[in-house]
Amino acid sequence: MPLNTSLNSSLLQEIQQLRAVIDQHNYRYYVQDEPVVPDAEFDRLFQRLKQFEQQHPELITPDSPTQRVGSKPISGFTEVQHEMPMLSLDNAFSEEDLRDFDRRVRERLGDDSRNIDYACEPKLDGIAVSLLYENGVLIRGATRGDGTTGENITHNVRTIPSIPLKLLGDGIPDRLEVRGEIYMPKAGFASLNERAQKNADKVFVNPRNAAAGSLRQLDARITATRPLEMCCYGIGVFSGGEMPATHVETMQQLNRWGFKMSRYLEQVEGTEGCLDYYHRMAELRNGLPYEIDGLVFKVNEYSLQQRLGFVSRYPRWAIAHKFPAQEEMTQVENIEFQVGRTGAITPVARLKPVFVGGVTVSNATLHNMDEITRLGVKVKDWVIIRRAGEVIPKVVSVVVDQRPADAVDVIFPEVCPVCGSDVERIEGEAIARCSGGLSCSAQRKEALRHYASRKAMDIEGLGVKLIDALVDKDLLNSIADIYHLKHEDIAGLERMGPKSALNVLAAIEKCKSTSLARFIYALGIREVGEATARNLANAFGNLDGVIQASEEQLLGVSDVGDIVARHIKTFFQQTHNLEVVDALRQVGVNWPEHTPAPEEDLPLSGKVYVLTGTLERMSRDEGKEKLQSLGAKVSGSVSKKTDCVVAGPGAGSKLAKAESLGVSVLDENAFIQLLTSYGVLVE
């Protein structure tokens, strides 16, 4: 439709300015993760642009921020022939494989003694895509497909906020193909599956499948509801402009034009630099907000890449160094039921041992009967299990096609498998519980283990096996009995000689001096974790204040909601719980009490700290606890909102980012001086 020539030029200018401002805010929010205006202000700008475009539809352009989602589903996917093939990567599974790759690179370049500069970045577990821009405007999005032919998914990629519809800045080539990975962050995946379960819809097995399914929608309005992101990792064809001479510089240029790039992109020298990067990223892997299945190492200089060339399927200048598998298939040999500290009965799958995530796994949690029903799992089924870091492996799906004829249904017990007490199911709760309380030895053991654990009373030496043995001999019937143990009670047990017994008794005596927050946490009140215990201690200052608090007063404490308040109130209304607390006080368990101070009056209230590296005089958890006691928020990542980073030996990318952002950095000595200045004791 031709433009209305009588249209006021100031209105045209305002529409163009609105689009530019909205594009910039989208870039700051979705790419840089540094929003500069509140959501409400962004919404006002967006609605103003929509109103202008509704009044003057002849001015609507495909690259307008309002045009991300089409109004009609497409009839099907058409094929796209890639002008430049989207090749796969060869894989390295060991240090030796990586060294062989580097050796081949140097040999082909004819300089075996030279250290090659490599670009290193995480290998996102998502869907590879190609985005074609002409004169800075997105005209096509396509899947990788078989590398030469993909599918046109333009209608869907347009809905992803981290993909620019129009490139920002100057120096943009006439034609530019940007390649990257579309993925679904872990938090978005969890939220998507949670909604699916509530609606009785099919859940996705993992974030990659969820991303793939989202991009296979004919109706872009469905894709628009999925929490997808895109991170660029390279370029394909380009013309009518110039690009930098290295991969790292190119990614930085794409970032300036509006694309999200990996914040972990680094340039290193030689194999040793790559291996150092691998070990650092392996430590960070499970804390990342998205799934990665390895790292990609690329020769950084494009001129060297051109000299190295390709084989039939792989470039000779890049390799993927894969992490150990996180998912494997195995068979369920049996399903048993464990009883926890609060009486919760948890089904556990006993598996045919399988190597996954770097360890041999023989058990996996099934959570509750609802989860068993959702999965449809039976004894002797073949299943896919997943392990991430130190998290207990879980069953994610059943391989129904391989179900044996003698597979057995799972029957949830009506009585406790340990003590025979009735199993209770509270309406609205998925968890079934043993009603036996401390008369159930399983609950007693778990309560004792929790009380003695490192983050609670920290009784060194009083571990799982010793507690089990003492309970089995009826020497521990409550947590207060810990303080009545005698040398002969412990020394006569298996693997516990006289000296070991003395060490345990010394640890029990030492733990009598503790903090109120640790003591509250150690009591094992349902839903009261470390943070809630600390907030209760700060809010009331003494245990009697917590015990006597009304539900209304409890609800005034940060992190305490209706359910938690009810659990706290119920716990301290039980006579036997109050008797245990009194018994603990009588044997000398103590903590400093104080006059509660409003959270905003604490000296570090509103400050954001990050701990990184290894502290020598305390653990990171202890450092975190001390900062939180002063009102600070302790974050796991560095951003412009970070006020201070405490960096011990071995600090890596977090320290580097803090320095690049100009964030204040303290070493351990300075950190201890800070704590001491506020009266916090450091042993």
Side-chain angles (χ1 to χ4, degrees):
M1 181 180 294
L3 289 180
N4 181 352
T5 54
S6 64
L7 192 66
N8 189 301
S9 61
S10 64
L11 178 59
L12 272 170
Q13 186 177 8
E14 183 169 2
I15 289 174
Q16 292 167 348
Q17 287 175 344
L18 269 173
R19 287 173 181 165
V21 170
I22 290 169
D23 282 341
Q24 191 61 231
H25 285 320
N26 270 329
Y27 174 69
R28 295 296 297 267
Y29 187 93
Y30 292 106
V31 176
Q32 300 290 77
D33 196 24
E34 293 175 352
V36 292
V37 295
D39 290 349
E41 174 61 19
F42 178 87
D43 291 342
R44 280 192 287 271
L45 293 170
F46 194 84
Q47 289 304 316
R48 184 168 177 79
L49 177 60
K50 281 184 71 174
Q51 288 172 1
F52 281 145
E53 291 184 344
Q54 286 168 357
Q55 293 166 3
H56 302 282
E58 71 276 11
L59 295 179
I60 298 175
T61 59
D63 61 321
S64 171
T66 64
Q67 301 303 299
R68 283 196 174 272
V69 184
S71 58
K72 294 180 181 179
I74 63 172
S75 58
F77 294 101
T78 57
E79 287 188 352
V80 171
Q81 297 296 317
H82 297 300
E83 296 177 52
M84 181 184 293
M86 294 183 70
L87 300 179
S88 302
L89 292 174
D90 200 3
N91 291 320
F93 294 99
S94 66
E95 180 177 324
E96 184 180 357
D97 290 345
L98 185 62
R99 291 189 185 279
D100 283 344
F101 163 73
D102 176 65
R103 176 185 52 76
R104 293 193 300 271
V105 166
R106 288 183 286 109
E107 285 177 352
R108 289 192 175 102
L109 291 174
D111 189 356
D112 193 42
S113 62
R114 174 182 179 180
N115 263 343
I116 302 297
D117 284 341
Y118 289 103
C120 315
E121 54 199 317
K123 185 177 183 296
L124 292 163
D125 195 11
I127 308 301
V129 294
S130 158
L131 305 172
L132 184 61
Y133 289 80
E134 291 188 353
N135 298 315
V137 176
L138 176 66
I139 65 164
R140 189 187 70 203
T143 61
R144 176 184 173 276
D146 62 6
T148 58
T149 305
E151 289 183 325
N152 191 322
I153 53 168
T154 308
H155 66 300
N156 285 332
V157 299
R158 290 176 60 84
T159 70
I160 301 172
S162 51
I163 293 179
L165 301 180
K166 183 178 181 180
L167 302 185
L168 308 174
D170 303 318
I172 298 165
D174 296 340
R175 294 184 83 238
L176 173 66
E177 180 193 0
V178 178
R179 294 175 174 182
E181 200 87 359
I182 290 178
Y183 61 96
M184 187 173 291
K186 294 175 184 175
F189 171 71
S191 177
L192 178 65
N193 268 354
E194 186 178 339
R195 291 199 306 271
Q197 283 181 299
K198 286 180 180 177
N199 297 329
D201 293 333
K202 181 181 177 181
V203 297
F204 289 99
V205 173
N206 55 48
R208 187 184 189 282
N209 285 359
S214 300
L215 291 176
R216 288 285 303 164
Q217 298 294 326
L218 296 175
D219 189 344
R221 290 170 295 187
I222 297 175
T223 307
T225 66
R226 305 286 174 81
L228 298 172
E229 294 185 8
M230 185 268 195
C231 183
C232 64
Y233 62 65
I235 60 171
V237 296
F238 77 91
S239 60
E242 293 185 5
M243 295 298 289
T246 68
H247 176 76
V248 169
E249 292 172 325
T250 297
M251 293 304 98
Q252 292 167 343
Q253 179 61 68
L254 291 179
N255 182 241
R256 289 190 288 271
W257 283 337
F259 293 95
K260 182 187 284 285
M261 60 174 272
S262 174
R263 57 176 289 194
Y264 296 102
L265 175 67
E266 287 187 24
Q267 179 180 331
V268 304
E269 183 178 325
T271 314
E272 298 308 319
C274 291
L275 289 171
D276 174 66
Y277 181 83
Y278 177 90
H279 294 305
R280 285 187 284 118
M281 289 305 300
E283 289 185 9
L284 293 173
R285 178 189 185 186
N286 294 311
L288 296 176
Y290 41 76
E291 298 281 3
I292 64 173
D293 58 3
L295 308 170
V296 177
F297 300 122
K298 300 175 182 176
V299 173
N300 192 36
E301 292 182 38
Y302 287 145
S303 61
L304 298 184
Q305 289 184 12
Q306 291 171 355
R307 286 171 57 190
L308 289 164
F310 303 84
V311 292
S312 59
R313 293 179 57 198
Y314 311 121
R316 289 195 178 106
W317 41 263
I319 197 164
H321 194 169
K322 303 298 283 288
F323 289 127
Q326 296 270 80
E327 288 187 350
E328 286 290 352
M329 187 170 75
T330 189
Q331 190 173 25
V332 177
E333 295 184 329
N334 196 10
I335 292 177
E336 298 175 359
F337 295 89
Q338 294 182 343
V339 183
R341 173 172 53 86
T342 63
I345 297 177
T346 304
V348 176
R350 304 301 184 192
L351 307 167
K352 185 175 290 185
V354 62
F355 193 75
V356 56
V359 300
T360 298
V361 170
S362 55
N363 303 313
T365 181
L366 287 165
H367 300 293
N368 51 54
M369 195 61 200
D370 288 352
E371 181 71 355
I372 290 175
T373 302
R374 184 184 72 79
L375 290 167
V377 64
K378 299 184 179 186
V379 176
K380 298 191 178 180
D381 264 342
W382 286 89
V383 295
I384 304 296
I385 62 164
R386 180 171 180 78
R387 179 182 180 272
E390 300 305 316
V391 178
I392 298 171
K394 64 178 289 188
V395 176
V396 294
S397 64
V398 175
V399 187
V400 179
D401 291 346
Q402 295 195 32
R403 172 168 286 161
D406 58 347
V408 180
D409 288 338
V410 180
I411 300 174
F412 205 90
E414 295 296 325
V415 297
C416 173
V418 175
C419 70
S421 300
D422 290 341
V423 170
E424 296 177 330
R425 289 182 175 84
I426 299 173
E427 188 176 350
E429 285 192 9
I431 297 172
R433 299 180 190 276
C434 164
S435 61
L438 290 179
S439 65
C440 175
S441 63
Q443 290 187 61
R444 205 181 326 146
K445 288 176 181 178
E446 290 298 329
L448 288 160
R449 290 169 189 166
H450 175 76
Y451 184 83
S453 65
R454 183 172 59 85
K455 293 182 179 180
M457 299 300 282
D458 193 19
I459 307 177
E460 190 174 350
L462 190 58
V464 172
K465 291 184 178 178
L466 181 54
I467 287 173
D468 287 351
L470 291 167
V471 171
D472 292 343
K473 288 184 174 293
D474 287 328
L475 291 169
L476 291 180
N477 292 301
S478 81
I479 55 178
D481 289 342
I482 291 172
Y483 299 95
H484 297 289
L485 288 172
K486 298 180 177 62
H487 185 268
E488 57 268 26
D489 294 334
I490 302 173
L493 298 174
E494 186 178 355
R495 297 184 181 180
M496 293 299 297
K499 185 175 181 181
S500 297
L502 285 174
N503 289 339
V504 172
L505 291 173
I508 291 171
E509 186 64 28
K510 180 183 176 183
C511 87
K512 288 180 179 178
S513 295
T514 186
S515 68
L516 177 56
R518 276 181 175 265
F519 183 75
I520 293 171
Y521 174 64
L523 290 176
I525 305 168
R526 282 182 63 188
E527 307 290 342
V528 175
E530 294 172 83
T532 305
R534 183 177 57 254
N535 292 339
L536 288 167
N538 288 338
F540 293 99
N542 58 76
L543 184 61
D544 289 335
V546 179
I547 292 172
Q548 295 162 12
S550 64
E551 284 195 33
E552 185 178 358
Q553 289 173 311
L554 291 169
L555 287 169
V557 177
S558 176
D559 199 34
V560 174
D562 291 337
I563 294 173
V564 176
R566 191 155 55 249
H567 287 326
I568 296 168
K569 196 65 186 167
T570 299
F571 182 90
F572 288 117
Q573 285 174 339
Q574 303 297 316
T575 303
H576 63 273
N577 288 334
L578 294 175
E579 289 172 350
V580 169
V581 170
D582 287 341
L584 291 168
R585 283 170 151 173
Q586 287 171 16
V587 296
V589 177
N590 68 92
W591 51 84
E593 297 189 347
H594 64 274
T595 303
E599 211 170 279
E600 60 270 19
D601 291 346
L602 294 171
L604 297 183
S605 178
K607 301 292 185 182
V608 178
Y609 277 69
V610 172
L611 294 160
T612 184
T614 304
L615 300 181
E616 296 174 350
R617 290 184 58 183
M618 69 187 85
S619 68
R620 291 231 302 254
D621 282 342
E622 289 170 331
K624 177 179 178 180
E625 185 178 306
K626 293 179 190 302
L627 284 168
Q628 288 172 330
S629 72
L630 295 169
K633 177 184 177 183
V634 181
S635 174
S637 59
V638 179
S639 70
K640 286 188 175 180
K641 295 179 181 178
T642 305
D643 293 291
C644 183
V645 170
V646 178
S653 58
K654 291 179 185 176
L655 175 59
K657 184 164 187 182
E659 290 171 341
S660 70
L661 292 174
V663 173
S664 174
V665 177
L666 300 179
D667 62 16
E668 186 168 7
N669 288 333
F671 177 48
I672 290 171
Q673 289 175 11
L674 173 74
L675 296 175
T676 305
S677 71
Y678 290 122
V680 176
L681 180 66
V682 178
E683 296 180 358

